[in-house]
């Protein structure tokens, strides 16, 4: 399964960023293809 994580917290090392990274690791470990996009840095 393909998973897209949209993370929008402006704090690069905040709790939301940490939780998104942990979710990504767990989903990849379960065999999913994961893309993590930080949309707060997009124009």
């Amino acid at each position: 399964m393909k998973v897209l994580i949209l993370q929008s917290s402006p704090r690069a090392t905040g709790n939301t960023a940490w939780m998104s990274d942990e979710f990504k690791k767990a989903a990849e470990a379960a065999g999913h293809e994961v893309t993590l996009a930080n949309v707060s840095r997009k124009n």
Side-chain angles (χ1 to χ4, degrees):
M1 176 186 291
K2 292 184 179 182
V3 178
L4 173 62
I5 303 169
L6 298 175
Q7 200 274 85
S8 63
S9 175
R11 295 181 351 178
T13 59
N15 290 336
T16 303
W18 173 81
M19 194 165 32
S20 297
D21 288 337
E22 291 299 311
F23 181 83
K24 181 179 186 232
K25 290 177 194 174
E28 288 174 334
H32 302 292
E33 181 181 335
V34 182
T35 301
L36 175 60
N38 187 338
V39 296
S40 68
R41 297 184 183 148
K42 304 285 183 191
N43 288 333

